Amino acid sequence: MAAPQLKSDSKYDDYEYPTTSPTVQSGHPGHTTPEQDAQVFQLRTQLEQAGYSERLDTLSMLRFLRARKFNVNLAKQMFIDCEKWRKEFGVDSLVRSFDYKEKPKVFEYYPQYYHKTDKDGRPVYIEQFGGIDLTAMYKITTAERMLQNLVVEYEKLVDPRLPACSRKSGQLLETCCTIMDLKGVGISRISSVYGYVKQASAISQNYYPERLGKMYLINAPWGFASVFSVIKGFLDPVTVGKIHVLGGGYQSELLAQVPKENLPKAFGGVCDCDGTCQLSDAGPWQDPEWTKPPKWADSKTGASTTIENEPSSTISTHEPQKAPHPTSEQQKAGSGQQAPM
């Protein structure tokens, strides 16, 4: 029996890494049905007719289709909304020019970083919420720049992080393993950061679909599991299956997914990256054997724009740049969307 292969399009598909998903599941690359292949063609053709010519590769088309249960019309609208947002946000130039030089100081309050890989070869993404102090943080940066950094890191996840991980593992990897540390998070603190987290979550689920592999919510405070049991009733069962809510005794389950040599000591692993795990960006994407220059580094994707890197000292209550609210159609088709980052 022939090995499964991605049904590719020579005009748009130029991959330098494996393109068959290890997930033997309908709709995933290398495991599509003839009907799903036809839906990829239909979606791409409609987008071409609407004037789009970028990001129409097969892997992208499949991600948008999976996010909308292979409803071509909904997937098309999701793609169009995404492209509109990318233009308004300035993503293509931002990823090449953004300099988040205040990152070390921001991370003293709110670490957000990629660090090595899990046992499936996927990038591990870590966020720690317990030290968030927006009043102090907005003296260092602004909510807009925090969102800009979030988007730049998503773009770097897409390329070069995931391609490098795919090359090293020998199979297509499209998702990451997320660890969200809730240690020290109380009700009062949750309310103060809700606005930013809501904006960040909207970016995640609306514009970077199908990027969540597994999510571990660790050090969940008392009562959180009960709250989540209500929340998950509104989520797609596939998404719910990816989320693991754990208390303080999370180490054994987390170490079953992330090798101890890849997990920072703060979470029960043995890695300390000479004391700089949060800022090391360690992973296959830093190894010349597996990484290649990201395609967004090619100036053909758009003219570079200078970004003002100095945060304004006069802003202390800066509101996040608004992510467009999902339409009623998107909300109804929420299946396949990610949980909040």
Side-chain angles (χ1 to χ4, degrees):
M1 183 177 178
Q5 290 185 333
L6 177 76
K7 185 176 177 60
S8 61
D9 183 287
S10 59
K11 182 177 179 181
Y12 296 105
D13 297 348
D14 181 23
Y15 307 119
E16 298 178 305
Y17 50 87
T19 56
T20 298
S21 172
T23 304
V24 183
Q25 186 175 341
S26 179
H28 288 256
H31 309 287
T32 52
T33 65
E35 180 182 6
Q36 290 168 338
D37 292 336
Q39 288 166 322
V40 168
F41 178 80
Q42 183 182 359
L43 174 60
R44 180 186 288 126
T45 299
Q46 290 185 14
L47 290 170
E48 285 179 325
Q49 292 172 347
Y52 295 95
S53 59
E54 295 184 43
R55 290 173 282 276
L56 299 182
D57 61 284
T58 302
L59 295 181
S60 294
M61 296 292 93
L62 282 171
R63 285 191 303 104
F64 279 91
L65 283 164
R66 289 200 305 275
R68 292 294 179 259
K69 297 297 185 185
F70 278 83
N71 182 310
V72 173
N73 289 333
L74 292 180
K76 176 185 175 182
Q77 189 59 54
M78 186 183 192
F79 183 93
I80 290 173
D81 291 342
C82 179
E83 289 298 301
K84 180 176 183 289
W85 166 80
R86 289 182 68 92
K87 183 177 180 180
E88 293 174 347
F89 205 88
V91 175
D92 290 339
S93 58
L94 192 68
V95 69
R96 295 193 304 279
S97 57
F98 183 72
D99 180 13
Y100 198 44
K101 56 188 177 184
E102 66 267 35
K103 178 190 288 188
K105 291 185 178 180
V106 174
F107 276 23
E108 292 177 10
Y109 300 97
Y110 185 20
Q112 302 168 280
Y113 58 100
Y114 290 90
H115 183 267
K116 299 188 176 180
T117 57
D118 69 1
K119 291 185 177 180
D120 295 319
R122 298 174 296 200
V124 174
Y125 177 67
I126 300 172
E127 287 196 21
Q128 295 171 258
F129 290 91
I132 292 180
D133 181 341
L134 290 184
T135 301
M137 290 165 64
Y138 288 164
K139 294 177 182 178
I140 301 168
T141 189
T142 66
E144 182 177 17
R145 283 180 59 76
M146 289 171 61
L147 288 175
Q148 287 175 333
N149 175 66
L150 175 76
V151 169
V152 167
E153 291 302 317
Y154 265 130
E155 291 295 305
K156 291 180 180 178
L157 170 67
V158 175
D159 189 12
R161 290 187 180 109
L162 285 170
C165 291
S166 296
R167 294 184 193 103
K168 183 174 182 179
S169 68
Q171 57 191 6
L172 175 65
L173 297 173
E174 297 186 285
T175 62
C176 60
C177 175
T178 297
I179 300 171
M180 294 199 148
D181 183 11
L182 303 178
K183 185 176 182 179
V185 175
I187 298 299
S188 60
R189 183 162 289 171
I190 289 175
S191 62
S192 69
V193 303
Y194 177 76
Y196 169 78
V197 172
K198 181 179 179 182
Q199 293 296 316
S201 298
I203 289 174
S204 169
Q205 66 182 11
N206 294 335
Y207 309 128
Y208 296 93
E210 295 290 302
R211 291 301 188 193
L212 178 64
K214 287 189 176 182
M215 176 183 287
Y216 294 89
L217 297 168
I218 65 172
N219 289 311
W222 183 86
F224 184 86
S226 298
V227 173
F228 182 74
S229 66
V230 175
I231 295 173
K232 70 182 183 182
F234 301 97
L235 299 176
D236 179 74
V238 175
T239 299
V240 172
K242 297 176 181 179
I243 302 174
H244 305 263
V245 179
L246 308 175
Y250 61 83
Q251 286 88 352
S252 60
E253 186 166 346
L254 192 58
L255 286 168
Q257 184 62 36
V258 183
K260 64 180 180 179
E261 62 271 19
N262 290 357
L263 189 65
K265 284 184 176 180
F267 304 111
V270 298
C271 184
D272 67 359
C273 294
D274 295 324
T276 60
C277 284
Q278 295 179 358
L279 300 172
S280 69
D281 196 28
W285 50 92
Q286 298 288 0
D287 189 336
E289 182 177 359
W290 308 115
T291 195
K292 293 181 182 293
K295 292 184 177 180
W296 50 255
D298 187 338
S299 61
K300 290 188 297 183
T301 58
S304 179
T305 302
T306 301
I307 301 295
E308 176 56 55
N309 291 318
E310 293 292 344
S312 171
S313 60
T314 63
I315 299 177
S316 61
T317 57
H318 189 86
E319 287 297 321
Q321 179 168 335
K322 300 297 183 182
H325 294 293
T327 64
S328 58
E329 291 288 344
Q330 289 176 321
Q331 291 173 329
K332 292 176 183 177
S335 54
Q337 292 182 349
Q338 294 177 186
M341 314 166 7

